[in-house]
Structures are given as structure tokens and as C-alpha cells.
Amino acid sequence: MDTSSLPSPWPQGATTLTYTGGCHCKKIQFEFEHPDIYSMTALECNCSICESRGCINVYTPVEKFRFTSGSHDEMTTYTFNSHLVQHRFCPTCGVSIGALVPSYTPQDKFKLTQGSEDEISQYTFASHIVQHRFCPTCGTAIGVLVPSYGYVGINARTVDGIDLERLQKNLTKVNGRELTLSTTEDGGELKPSVSWDNTGRQ
């Protein structure tokens, strides 16, 4: 994944360190790769869920996040509003670990021989995560586009040995109360985009 597309982009060619963390009861423990956390910008979001949990978030590509105890399946998932972001927490002690944020990448072996992604109509419902695609002229169903998860937002409070006072020196506040998530096509890849209005929440 191109780390320049993370909410807090990594410097090009940045050297990464391995950080560890976990919940209070230690059922969920993890490690992840990230440039020096104190040299990066952490994000404090004021959306309704982040504000209630007091989260300060750092971000890493999903392939650079690994469980050393527990798994995604062992965590409880909570979604709201757009239902695109999966907020994860330990079902035993309730500590918020972070969130999975989706990206939509078409299968490499699927190619349109006529028409384009822009010419296909799409329909979503309920969770609004799966995109149902159909021909806008005849209505024939082409198929569905199912997201993979591109990056992980990690609650920095769960990182072992974190110095929150030091981290807050590079803290950026994000107005998540006016943040909505949608998907746009960028270079053949459908990915979440950020737009601002007066009503949306994550």
C-alpha cells in the first residue's frame, strides 16, 4: 500500500520501527511497523465514537499489523452511520484497539473489454460496504465489489510504553463530526475518500 495515502502519511523512504501493544486483559496483543511515532503526526478525532473513547490514532498499512495474541475474529466490531469503518475492541476488558478502514481494489484477473468502471452503475444498501454493479442500459447485473481493508488506525493509548505527553506535541485535531466516508476511483483503484459537509459522521 502507498503509505502517502494514510490519514497521517509516512515520509518517503522512512525507516520503520516495530511497536507492540494490546488491551488491558492481554487477550488481544499485537505488533506493528511504523516510523518513529514521536516524529509523526498523531490524529485526535472528535467524531462521536472517538471522542467518547478518548482515542489518539496512529495509522499503518494492514499488512504491517500483526496479532501476537488473539485475532480479528476474537474482537468485537462496532460500526455506525456509513458502516465503512470497523471499530474493534476487546470483548473481555472493553479496551478499544483501533479501527479497520476499507479500500476497494478490483481483482487483477478481472478486466473490462468494453466500457469502463465509470460506465457501470452501482447500488449499495444496509451496510453500504458491498457495491453491487449493473449495466445502466439494460440492467444486467455484472457482479459485486467487496472491500479489503487497506489500513489500521491504532489507538495509541494501547501501545506499550507510549509517552502520551510527548506524543501530543505532534497532535493534529480532526473534525470528524463533519467527516463522511465514500469511495472514489483513483488510478483504477476504488478507495475511501474524505468529503466535508455539515451532517456527516464517520
Side-chain angles (χ1 to χ4, degrees):
M1 179 182 180
D2 179 7
T3 57
S4 66
S5 65
L6 293 172
S8 181
W10 293 5
Q12 188 172 5
T15 300
T16 60
L17 304 172
T18 299
Y19 292 89
T20 62
C23 65
H24 187 266
C25 71
K26 304 303 181 186
K27 177 177 181 176
I28 305 297
Q29 296 182 70
F30 57 84
E31 62 181 19
F32 66 98
E33 296 172 46
H34 193 281
D36 179 8
I37 282 183
Y38 302 111
S39 68
M40 297 283 294
T41 299
L43 301 184
E44 183 178 45
C45 176
N46 72 345
C47 79
S48 54
I49 186 68
C50 287
E51 190 171 67
S52 66
R53 296 181 307 174
C55 284
I56 296 174
N57 299 309
V58 295
Y59 297 87
T60 192
V62 70
E63 64 269 18
K64 295 186 180 294
F65 179 93
R66 298 171 291 276
F67 287 98
T68 55
S69 177
S71 67
H72 281 298
D73 291 339
E74 293 179 67
M75 288 194 289
T76 299
T77 298
Y78 174 70
T79 66
F80 69 105
N81 195 31
S82 69
H83 301 285
L84 287 171
V85 178
Q86 294 191 3
H87 300 270
R88 300 293 182 89
F89 60 94
C90 174
T92 302
C93 65
V95 167
S96 170
I97 302 299
L100 281 171
V101 184
S103 63
Y104 294 80
T105 306
Q107 294 293 323
D108 293 338
K109 295 185 179 180
F110 178 84
K111 295 181 180 179
L112 292 169
T113 56
Q114 185 169 325
S116 67
E117 289 283 346
D118 291 338
E119 295 176 76
I120 301 176
S121 295
Q122 68 179 42
Y123 172 71
T124 66
F125 67 101
S127 69
H128 301 288
I129 292 176
V130 177
Q131 296 184 2
H132 299 264
R133 300 296 187 86
F134 61 94
C135 173
T137 303
C138 65
T140 298
I142 304 299
V144 297
L145 191 61
V146 182
S148 59
Y149 283 85
Y151 58 88
V152 182
I154 301 159
N155 179 5
R157 296 179 186 274
T158 65
V159 177
D160 293 334
I162 196 74
D163 183 341
L164 289 173
E165 184 175 343
R166 184 180 173 192
L167 184 68
Q168 288 176 338
K169 292 179 180 178
N170 287 329
L171 192 64
T172 296
K173 294 182 182 293
V174 176
N175 188 2
R177 292 183 179 274
E178 296 183 0
L179 177 67
T180 57
L181 290 173
S182 57
T183 55
T184 57
E185 187 171 2
D186 180 11
E189 180 179 357
L190 290 167
K191 58 181 65 176
S193 65
V194 174
S195 59
W196 299 89
D197 58 32
N198 294 321
T199 59
R201 294 190 179 186
Q202 194 183 134

